Amino acid sequence: MATMMQPQIILLKEGTDTSQGKPQLISNINACMAVADVVRTTLGPRGMDKLIHDEKGNTTISNDGATIMKLLDIVHPAAKILVDIAKSQDSEVGDGTTTVVLLAGEFLKEAKPFIEDGVHSQNLIRSYRTASHLAIEKVKELAISIEGKSLEEKKNLLAKCAATTLSSKLIGGEKEFFASMVVDAVIAIGYEDRLNMIGIKKVPGGNMRDSFLVNGVAFKKTFSYAGFEQQPKKFENPKILLLNIELELKSEKENAEIRLSDPLQYQSIVDAEWNIIYDKLDKCVKSGAKVVLSRLAIGDLATQYFADRDIFCAGRVTEEDLQRVAAATGGTVQTTVNNVIDEVLGFCELFEENQVGNERFNIFSGCPSGLTATIVLRGGADQFIEEAERSLHDAIMIVRRALKNSTIVAGGGAIDMEVSRYLRQHARTIAGKSQLFINSYAKALEVIPRQLCDNAGFDATDVLNKLRQKHALPSEGAPYGVDINTGGVADSFANFVWEPAVVKINAINAATEAACLVLSVDETVKNPKSESAQGEAAASAMGGRGRGGPAFRGHGRGMRR
């Protein structure tokens, strides 16, 4: 009786939404599976593209998992985890963003029946972590190193990795052309970590084959004043002066007041302004530089002055381009023109201004340090060029990763099938429930080859059976994956479908972590919407303007009763 009389304890604010237990977990799993279904069809060389239209009216066509996830604007708290792992895969490795979302979705899908049957999620998490550890060890064991090869061989291998990445993109038709371009660009910057040393410039018009690589820096001609056309547009072995100052005739900024006793003194003040600018220009010329670039404006007076002395100048060059010119030519950006010595000047073999499509480009080639490269992209529609840029970014990241972590594995679902077979075999040696859980993890890994078949329009069951039969043969099965062209199975290594091992390792790791994270949540607490609170605050602010505050809203001074 005493227990019945106890008052109800109110812990959370009124209107707080709490959901817990098994239904809550199932709901989170369903949300994650729904997200995985969105990007499912974009996987592989025959993957479809998504056209995303945002509220600002911008249209994006893409089949890059990370881009789609970013643009979807997902609000479900559990499903947001998948967006985060896609972003982390993109920033860490560059490719495999669709793979990581699919794997996480599939791990949860396999866990769902166990949760419904009353299995504790911690048991699943423990088994998934063990399986993930075993899978990563197996991938490392199957990986083949490209270390110690000659530069030509290495270039060839890296181009194959880039081509595998590009095959699933919009520019897949020209993958060999772009793969070699990407490899040259990455090798040009060497082990330089800053990705912005590879510039990608987009020029609408022409076709994809008109794209080209500049071993140096190229940027669009900046805004120029009269006198620009008289400047030379080509130099061999010029010295380059990089500035971060304005070369303009500036009138006094402050409202200064000068009292003159003699009108003739006025001229000396005007002359002083002119002398300052002429002194700056003189020092630029005396430095011996033939190309002067500045981040700030170079005015009409300076432009004409340089033109008369056969010097090329460009003002308002973007910070990024100026830094790339500095890195390539070995120059240093100066904030003053006093005491410009030879050590701070850049140098390159050839500077020229060329027409590319409707744009004019300033091109610096044959740079001594060579730590930069520029890819100039051509193509029809703007959306197409945007997607081409995203695709090249993925390929550049992959080549950089393969260059640093020089191990590769077979693509086309081959590595997934081999790891799946190994886990199934290992599961048989385990007593207890975790045998079932590791088996379901192994089954989830088959989603990659299955989805590759589905997207290409082949019978997935048939192809997977052939793959399982091949991988069951211990000696030769490991490199066999889906053959997208014939709908059968083929040796992925022989067909040059390769990817860096780090892509797979990262994907398995991130997907397992995400799945375990979703499985470990058993209660969601949603605070009541703060909109009502905001509304009240706004109302009281409005009412407070009148005399007498919110109780007398509308009775303030000057308002009609």
Side-chain angles (χ1 to χ4, degrees):
M1 189 67 186
T3 52
M4 285 173 66
M5 293 298 290
Q6 277 184 353
Q8 186 186 1
I9 298 170
I10 297 173
L11 194 65
L12 299 168
K13 205 190 276 186
E14 190 186 345
T16 304
D17 177 22
T18 63
S19 37
Q20 61 195 102
K22 200 195 293 181
Q24 160 61 24
L25 187 48
I26 300 289
S27 149
N28 285 349
I29 291 175
N30 288 341
C32 292
M33 280 161 57
V35 172
D37 285 342
V38 172
V39 293
R40 193 179 286 277
T41 54
T42 66
L43 185 77
R46 298 284 184 271
M48 310 301 278
D49 297 333
K50 303 286 180 201
L51 192 151
I52 299 164
H53 191 99
D54 65 11
E55 71 270 9
K56 290 177 188 162
N58 300 329
T59 319
T60 310
I61 299 174
S62 179
N63 77 351
D64 174 39
T67 309
I68 295 167
M69 297 298 271
K70 263 183 241 166
L71 293 170
L72 279 181
D73 206 13
I74 291 166
V75 291
H76 192 285
K80 273 188 180 166
I81 295 167
L82 296 192
V83 181
D84 293 340
I85 59 167
K87 282 182 186 169
S88 79
Q89 178 84 0
D90 194 39
S91 59
E92 185 61 29
V93 194
D95 195 28
T97 47
T98 310
T99 305
V100 76
V101 175
L102 264 186
L103 279 177
E106 201 65 17
F107 290 153
L108 290 168
K109 185 178 175 183
E110 289 298 329
K112 190 177 165 185
F114 292 120
I115 297 289
E116 284 169 341
D117 291 345
V119 173
H120 197 286
S121 54
Q122 282 304 331
N123 293 342
L124 274 165
I125 290 171
R126 201 177 311 122
S127 300
Y128 272 16
R129 290 229 163 100
T130 310
S132 142
H133 183 68
L134 290 166
I136 287 168
E137 289 307 311
K138 187 66 178 170
V139 171
K140 285 178 181 169
E141 183 193 314
L142 291 167
I144 291 173
S145 175
I146 58 169
E147 205 53 72
K149 303 262 200 267
S150 71
L151 185 64
E152 273 311 305
E153 278 183 295
K154 215 174 215 180
K155 269 188 172 179
N156 244 336
L157 295 171
L158 292 171
K160 301 284 192 298
C161 285
T164 304
T165 299
L166 291 171
S167 64
S168 67
K169 309 289 183 195
L170 210 54
I171 54 176
E174 304 284 357
K175 63 182 178 187
E176 281 82 16
F177 173 71
F178 282 110
S180 60
M181 191 186 283
V182 164
V183 172
D184 289 343
V186 173
I187 286 176
I189 68 166
Y191 289 96
E192 171 71 57
D193 263 346
R194 291 177 297 170
L195 199 67
N196 58 3
M197 286 296 133
I198 298 180
I200 298 180
K201 302 293 176 190
K202 301 174 290 232
V203 184
N207 64 14
M208 285 192 292
R209 285 257 167 194
D210 294 338
S211 306
F212 59 92
L213 175 74
V214 176
N215 273 325
V217 185
F219 55 83
K220 275 183 198 167
K221 171 175 134 14
T222 55
F223 176 79
S224 52
Y225 288 95
F228 177 80
E229 289 306 329
Q230 296 161 24
Q231 293 177 352
K233 300 292 187 292
K234 186 173 180 180
F235 289 104
E236 287 181 9
N237 303 324
K239 287 180 179 175
I240 300 157
L241 175 60
L242 307 171
L243 300 172
N244 191 6
I245 55 170
E246 281 185 317
L247 294 177
E248 271 195 304
L249 189 61
K250 300 298 282 180
S251 56
E252 194 58 53
K253 273 185 187 167
E254 313 304 325
N255 290 333
E257 186 178 306
I258 303 173
R259 300 199 173 186
L260 306 173
S261 54
D262 181 0
L264 296 174
Q265 290 174 335
Y266 177 69
Q267 190 57 42
S268 65
I269 292 165
V270 175
D271 289 347
E273 285 182 346
W274 285 84
N275 288 340
I276 290 168
I277 179 90
Y278 275 126
D279 180 45
K280 282 182 183 175
L281 299 177
D282 247 3
K283 284 173 178 164
C284 292
V285 174
K286 281 179 185 159
S287 70
K290 281 290 175 193
V291 178
V292 179
L293 302 180
S294 176
R295 204 171 78 78
L296 301 171
I298 293 182
D300 44 3
L301 173 75
T303 306
Q304 190 62 56
Y305 187 91
F306 287 138
D308 295 343
R309 285 155 186 75
D310 283 347
I311 293 174
F312 176 89
C313 71
R316 298 197 178 103
V317 178
T318 61
E319 174 77 31
E320 188 189 334
D321 287 332
L322 204 64
Q323 291 303 336
R324 283 185 30 246
V325 173
T329 60
T332 314
V333 179
Q334 299 297 300
T335 51
T336 172
V337 286
N338 297 326
N339 192 25
V340 174
I341 50 175
D342 266 7
E343 282 72 36
V344 300
L345 293 176
F347 168 82
C348 73
E349 283 173 19
L350 180 66
F351 165 79
E352 56 186 340
E353 184 175 296
N354 283 345
Q355 188 81 22
V356 180
N358 292 334
E359 307 281 354
R360 291 186 74 75
F361 267 74
N362 298 333
I363 299 172
F364 298 81
S365 45
C367 302
S369 70
L371 282 179
T372 177
T374 309
I375 296 172
V376 179
L377 272 183
R378 306 295 310 278
D382 284 345
Q383 284 98 335
F384 184 83
I385 300 182
E386 296 282 340
E387 176 61 7
E389 184 189 12
R390 282 191 288 272
S391 309
L392 286 185
H393 171 263
D394 284 8
I396 287 166
M397 290 286 284
I398 283 297
V399 173
R400 279 177 71 223
R401 285 287 166 218
L403 204 56
K404 281 188 178 177
N405 315 43
S406 48
T407 53
I408 54 170
V409 292
I415 189 80
D416 308 272
M417 285 305 288
E418 184 58 22
V419 171
S420 174
R421 180 200 61 80
Y422 166 70
L423 286 176
R424 279 178 206 269
Q425 225 167 356
H426 178 83
R428 292 197 190 111
T429 64
I430 300 170
K433 286 181 193 166
S434 63
Q435 183 188 57
L436 296 169
F437 307 151
I438 290 180
N439 234 337
S440 74
Y441 189 96
K443 187 184 173 195
L445 286 171
E446 289 183 354
V447 69
I448 303 296
R450 186 186 308 123
Q451 199 56 49
L452 286 172
C453 296
D454 285 345
N455 290 352
F458 301 133
D459 182 352
T461 314
D462 195 32
V463 177
L464 278 179
N465 286 338
K466 284 183 192 167
L467 275 177
R468 286 195 194 101
Q469 181 259 328
K470 273 287 184 198
H471 283 263
L473 306 171
S475 54
E476 55 177 282
Y480 274 82
V482 180
D483 184 349
I484 291 296
N485 299 319
T486 62
V489 297
D491 186 333
S492 291
F493 264 125
N495 284 354
F496 308 120
V497 181
W498 303 341
E499 52 188 349
V502 69
V503 175
K504 262 303 166 241
I505 291 169
N506 222 50
I508 291 173
N509 226 335
T512 310
E513 282 304 319
C516 291
L517 191 57
V518 173
L519 289 172
S520 66
V521 174
D522 74 332
E523 180 170 5
T524 303
V525 180
K526 196 174 180 186
N527 284 332
K529 279 198 177 145
S530 53
E531 283 167 18
S532 53
Q534 286 170 2
E536 282 169 24
S540 63
M542 284 291 290
R545 286 183 196 161
R547 195 173 355 128
F552 300 95
R553 195 167 302 145
H555 294 282
R557 192 182 316 141
M559 288 189 184
R560 287 170 61 185
R561 285 196 172 83

